[in-house]
Amino acid sequence: MSFKGQHILSVKQFDRDNIQYIFQIARKMAPYASRKKRTKVLDGAILGNLFFEPSTRTRVSFGCAFNLLGGEVRETTGMESSALSKGESLYDTARVISSYSDVIAMRHPQAGSVAEFAEGSRVPVLNGGDGANEHPTQALLDLFTIERELQASGQSIDGMHIAMVGDLKFGRTVHSLSKLLALYNNLQITLISPQELAMPDEVVSALDNAGHRLTISDKLEGNLNADIVYQTRIQEERFPSKAEANQYRGKFRLNQEIYTRHCKSNTVIMHPLPRDSRLEANELDNDLNLNPNLAIFRQADNGILVRMALFALTLGVQDLVQDYECTVPWYTNK
């Protein structure tokens, strides 16, 4: 795959070589993300950061990643503050915003909307999540995190055991991650959810066709003895009503007691964030915060590295980043 000038819309675009190349570039971004150095390789470039669905982490992560490469960010948040609320088409919006920008990151509540938008764009578009469909940059940062966490204990992705827990029907992060995992070998995958929130059949089929060993259950007990436990939030915004979402909230809580009883001593805990910390949900209890295997904040940090890599690759500057280095003059304790 040639990344320069390309849209990043789906994990289906990548093979294992592409993924490892992205990760190679992401690792090179660490000195800039940790403020040991800075680079101005994208000085003067503009990111159009269009988030038509509520987001904090992903939106800020895209913006920071671009800033750390020296670029500038222009944002639109919320459908009501955009011309889309006046009936403008995604195509027309794309034609206009792409004339103002060098690259665009976009989130939209409707599946397929980012790909539709990209048809009208004259610059690369990165999918920041389109409804319950896909979230390719999240899947890449999740996989990058899994690789790093497993390497710390001498393991690799091939042959690992991962348990995915929670809302697997509407959780686009697990849909995209599963499609990437289908590229790997000999995985044991446990899918834990209420039957009503089970992983879509097409995703299960992709994992099954890849030759992975699948276990599907609606119980935590006896199913958490994995290398990775990937917990998800009940996607309240995708349900017909809050009352329906509340039927499932808090069904699969994980706390230190459950971890000690059912997980391995080095099981890594992941979550795409935000975690729902309300008492009725509390999917990852705060008593896990001191558990060294809680990787959720390392996961978020890795998002900066991966998105920096994707910006560098789509704008063709991945080999020029060091040429534009300069010192960091301010106090930093990263």
Side-chain angles (χ1 to χ4, degrees), residues 132-133 162-182 189-208 214-218 230-232 252:
N133 182 34
I162 182 171
M164 300 186 193
V165 183
D167 183 353
L168 307 185
K169 178 179 180 179
F170 295 116
R172 60 190 170 200
T173 62
V174 288
H175 300 168
S176 292
L177 177 59
S178 295
K179 291 170 186 176
L180 290 183
L181 292 176
I189 300 174
T190 303
L191 305 175
I192 307 168
S193 71
Q195 293 180 1
E196 297 83 355
L197 300 181
M199 188 76 84
D201 290 342
E202 63 176 272
V203 180
V204 174
S205 295
L207 294 171
D208 189 43
L214 295 179
T215 300
I216 299 174
S217 178
D218 60 0
Y230 191 108
Q231 174 75 276
T232 66
F252 295 107

Side-chain angles (χ1 to χ4, degrees), residues 146-285:
I146 291 170
E147 182 178 82
R148 292 186 124 187
E149 296 292 325
L150 292 178
Q151 283 176 346
S153 58
Q155 297 175 266
S156 67
I157 296 175
D158 289 323
M160 75 162 178
H161 179 192
I162 182 171
M164 300 186 193
V165 183
D167 183 353
L168 307 185
K169 178 179 180 179
F170 295 116
R172 60 190 170 200
T173 62
V174 288
H175 300 168
S176 292
L177 177 59
S178 295
K179 291 170 186 176
L180 290 183
L181 292 176
L183 300 173
Y184 289 78
N185 301 317
N186 193 33
L187 304 188
Q188 183 177 349
I189 300 174
T190 303
L191 305 175
I192 307 168
S193 71
Q195 293 180 1
E196 297 83 355
L197 300 181
M199 188 76 84
D201 290 342
E202 63 176 272
V203 180
V204 174
S205 295
L207 294 171
D208 189 43
N209 292 338
H212 299 322
R213 292 166 289 157
L214 295 179
T215 300
I216 299 174
S217 178
D218 60 0
K219 293 180 174 60
L220 284 177
E221 293 76 11
N223 290 306
L224 294 178
N225 190 32
D227 301 307
I228 305 286
V229 170
Y230 191 108
Q231 174 75 276
T232 66
R233 175 179 64 87
I234 296 298
Q235 303 285 305
E236 178 182 308
E237 63 273 23
R238 315 250 180 255
F239 283 80
S241 69
K242 184 176 180 179
E244 186 171 338
N246 285 339
Q247 295 179 42
Y248 307 104
R249 201 184 307 281
K251 293 287 187 183
F252 295 107
R253 297 184 180 188
L254 183 59
N255 57 29
Q256 186 59 50
E257 180 187 355
I258 293 171
Y259 181 93
T260 301
R261 197 178 340 140
H262 295 289
C263 297
K264 298 193 298 184
S265 60
N266 62 344
T267 294
V268 175
I269 307 167
M270 295 176 58
H271 189 295
L273 299 179
R275 57 174 165 170
D276 191 340
S277 297
R278 290 174 288 188
L279 287 176
E280 65 270 25
N282 205 23
E283 57 216 20
L284 285 182
D285 198 293

Side-chain angles (χ1 to χ4, degrees), residues 82-94 96-97:
S82 76
L84 294 174
S85 66
K86 302 175 183 177
E88 184 174 61
S89 68
L90 286 170
Y91 180 87
D92 285 1
T93 302
V96 173
I97 300 301

